[in-house]
Amino acid sequence: MDQAKAHYTLHAAPGSCSFAAHVILEEIGEPYTIALMSPGHPETHEAWFRTLNPKGRVPVLMIGNLVITEAPAILVHLGLARPDAGLLDTTGENLVRSIEWFNWLSGHVHAVSVRMIWRPDYFCDDSTAAEPIILKGRQHLAADFARIESALTDRIWAVGESYSIVDPYLLVFYRWGNRMGLDMRRDYLAWTDHSLRLEQRPAVQRCLQKEGVSLWRR
């Protein structure tokens, strides 16, 4: 497939993990369409969407007949599609570190810690068990966020010496911390500096405006 002539369609929900893919689409400058869903993205339950992604969640990236699901896979695809943009270093340790970040952020921080706080019903049908699940989720999240803060201390970007596809993915979790009522500016100084650098990027500003979300509001 001729990637130079590809038109991308990103199925996304405002402020969800799909935000990172939206940012990278803006960064690489290829033509794309953003298909934003409603708050709570009920469209993921509809038959037409389940045809695209039987897992029933965003993001979904379409390039012609190719359909890609899962935020890390989409981000890696976009990084590989435009190597001249320098957003994915495929040589040496940096590629391994990018995969390491994606695996942990997607497989643990999002799927466990965040989900325990926002979706305790996923873990237990008994509504009386929700409060202890949320409390445990917050404990997990505090440890996760402390690890991110430590990893970003004395660093400009998450991987190597330059901005990459990992950085806007981290921005998603920073924004979620604000939405959860955490004092991100006070407790995560290095991560806040990282997020402020990202906020200054035109691609990030355009995506915040298009999705109608803020990094700072709850």
Side-chain angles (χ1 to χ4, degrees):
M1 181 176 181
D2 186 353
Q3 293 291 346
K5 297 180 181 178
H7 183 94
Y8 295 92
T9 298
L10 178 67
H11 293 270
S16 73
C17 62
S18 58
F19 181 81
H22 190 186
V23 169
I24 295 302
L25 280 168
E26 282 284 340
E27 295 281 8
I28 66 175
E30 296 288 353
Y32 77 93
T33 299
I34 181 80
L36 285 176
M37 296 187 174
S38 310
H41 33 93
E43 294 90 340
T44 57
H45 300 288
E46 297 178 7
W48 69 267
F49 185 81
R50 292 298 177 117
T51 301
L52 291 179
N53 184 9
K55 290 173 282 190
R57 61 190 183 210
V58 292
V60 174
L61 184 69
M62 300 177 64
I63 318 100
N65 294 324
L66 177 63
V67 177
I68 305 174
T69 66
E70 304 298 328
I74 291 170
L75 290 166
V76 169
H77 170 83
L78 294 174
L80 292 172
R82 281 291 306 275
D84 57 305
L87 297 174
L88 175 61
D89 185 351
T90 59
T91 62
E93 183 180 340
N94 287 345
L95 176 60
V96 175
R97 294 303 177 198
S98 297
I99 296 170
E100 183 179 55
W101 270 114
F102 285 147
N103 187 67
W104 179 65
L105 289 170
S106 177
H108 175 73
V109 184
H110 190 176
V112 179
S113 304
V114 171
R115 184 174 283 170
M116 289 177 77
I117 296 169
W118 277 343
R119 287 291 310 278
D121 59 296
Y122 184 86
F123 298 93
C124 185
D125 292 330
D126 183 0
S127 60
T128 64
E131 187 173 345
I133 291 173
I134 292 170
L135 178 61
K136 191 64 178 177
R138 287 192 175 275
Q139 292 173 358
H140 283 310
L141 194 73
D144 296 340
F145 278 18
R147 187 169 288 113
I148 293 171
E149 174 69 10
S150 177
L152 293 178
T153 298
D154 298 324
R155 296 190 61 83
I156 302 299
W157 304 113
V159 176
E161 301 301 321
S162 61
Y163 174 71
S164 76
I165 57 175
V166 176
D167 295 298
Y169 199 39
L170 280 167
L171 189 64
V172 169
F173 293 90
Y174 185 91
R175 178 180 175 274
W176 288 352
N178 282 320
R179 287 194 60 211
M180 291 175 185
L182 302 179
D183 194 334
M184 300 297 289
R185 288 182 183 268
R186 182 196 67 195
D187 296 334
Y188 305 103
L189 300 180
W191 196 3
T192 295
D193 286 345
H194 177 264
S195 298
L196 288 169
R197 280 191 289 275
L198 279 159
E199 189 182 27
Q200 294 306 308
R201 297 186 71 86
V204 172
Q205 293 175 15
R206 290 192 295 270
C207 290
L208 289 170
Q209 183 176 23
K210 288 181 180 181
E211 297 195 18
V213 298
S214 167
L215 291 181
W216 311 104
R217 290 194 301 270
R218 296 183 182 180

